[in-house]
Amino acid sequence: MVAKLEEVAAPHSTFDTILVLDFGSQTSHLILRRLRSLNVYAEMLPCTTKLADLPWKPVGIVLSGGPSSVYDEVSPHVDPAIFDMGVPILGICYGCQEIAWRINDKNVQRGEKREYGQTDVDILTLDGQQDHVNRLFEGVEANTEVTMSHFDKLVHLPEGFVTIASTPSTPYAGIAHKEKPIFGIQFHPEISHTKRGMDILGNFATKICKARDNWKMENFIEKEIIRIRKLVGENAQVIGAVSGGVDSTVAARLMKEAIGDRFHAILVDTGLMRLNECEQVKKSLSDHLNINLTIVDGAELFFSRLAGVTEPEAKRKIIGGTFIDLFEKEAIRIEEEAKHTPHAGKVEWFLQGTLYPDLIESLSWKGPSATIKSHHNVGGLPARMMNGQGLKLIEPLRELFKDEVREFGRQLGIHEELIMRHPFPGPGIGIRILGEVTPERVELVRQADHIFISSIREAGIYNEMSQAFAALDTSRAVGVMGDSREYGYICILRAVSSVDFMSAEPYAFDSKLILKIANRIPNEVHGITRVVYDYTGKPPGTIELE
């Protein structure tokens, strides 16, 4: 059985960390991405996090925006202890209001009108003040364009603060404490339409927090290999889930570098894989990367457990639980074989390629009820993975975004075609079928997906999109094939562009190409009579359909 996480990726001891406390804004993750693009390490936690529970101390704290009003009874509030830590604080939008409201609950009120979109803000340079007051906007012109998104606003200047930015309708668009390094801004520097947003975040991170800009993949790899070797020890065995995607491949390659053949990569053929998936994974991992790989045939077991199940979360949990069942059996087999190998120890660790967006989307300050969906690498796993007994979970990529993982993979020498491969979810085609999962329906998705992806590759646009796939709506629609009437399934095509997979836009296909694909699928895949293209962005949708 698999036990509670013992975190392997703990950069806080090596890299200065800026903590982003999330109040539920749709752009909170962008704050992290902007800071990391400045080579400053940042991590996000729910706004209700108790600072006493943190085993590390941040060099600075950012309070994100959020959809709530600070004066409502049910609104979230930050642990007051952050104001006694002696580290710089930057409040953005709701975070700025949180700072002002804590000083006096009359400082924040509903504005007379909403202020959304682009706004010119006046930067006020104050003479005779301590240097830190002007440091947030250092190098930013006196009038600059920013992105606003608020209705509530500061109606009084908080005691002990001065005004450092304003607009005609928001007199306190920027505030700074006279003595402490505490700042608040009513606009969003993390959004690209704020022209000098990167400079403002850079000023806060490097000039105010004094964070070192050493968050670089080559530094992370070296430290991570040392950390893994120390954590795992000299004899313990590690088993790891692989799928052939970039996340699990990079994680597997890292483990191979750290502990050699004591790492055992396991690919479970769930029966929910894409066309020729297992053969491709074997070629990439075993033949090219020399990773110790075992393929387990579990298709029959997965289909039997999924029979009659239609609810998405139930599917995810069943697939996650079945994964672990098969891994436990494989761990026993590997451990038995290891007894006959000199200096080989027990199987003590379980590797997963969990990424940071998986964690963010599976956590909320409101608790589990606000979770959009559980991820197969997080909430979708059975509860016994967190029960404190058996295997320990190791997730060396859990601090990284997708683009960082790709750069990580390049540093590890993984070939570019695999690095740029579109993500494939752990539950596989099982969450790309709206309704019950059956072998017949999976095969339809396989064939349609193969046509879709091969057409994209032939057109030379595969790398222009972040993820593309075919899915199946098990509702049926009438089609005409030759002179006969058919009643078949509806194929859903989805392709998105995204930087970090926290938000995404539908890919804008050339109309001739998408029409060609839409004609090919019903003609070549018997059982599908209609093809539709999903134009939903994220938000309001998610990238996967379930």
Side-chain angles (χ1 to χ4, degrees), residues 90-140:
L90 172 63
I92 296 174
C93 199
Y94 184 99
C96 175
Q97 296 163 12
E98 172 77 356
I99 292 171
W101 179 85
R102 285 201 163 272
I103 294 172
N104 187 321
D105 62 8
K106 299 297 189 294
N107 283 338
V108 181
Q109 295 178 16
R110 179 76 57 162
E112 294 181 1
K113 65 177 182 177
R114 299 174 186 267
E115 192 168 24
Y116 294 136
Q118 303 310 106
T119 304
D120 288 331
V121 65
D122 292 321
I123 306 300
L124 309 177
T125 301
L126 304 180
D127 296 329
Q129 300 291 338
Q130 294 185 18
D131 289 342
H132 83 272
V133 170
N134 297 317
R135 200 163 293 158
L136 185 67
F137 295 132
E138 188 174 309
V140 178

Side-chain angles (χ1 to χ4, degrees), residues 9 71 104 411:
Y71 45 77
N104 187 321
Q411 296 289 333

Side-chain angles (χ1 to χ4, degrees), residues 263-280:
F263 170 62
H264 305 265
I266 301 170
L267 172 67
V268 175
D269 183 358
T270 63
L272 308 173
M273 314 292 280
R274 290 172 291 196
L275 191 67
N276 301 322
E277 188 96 43
C278 292
E279 293 85 348
Q280 292 175 5

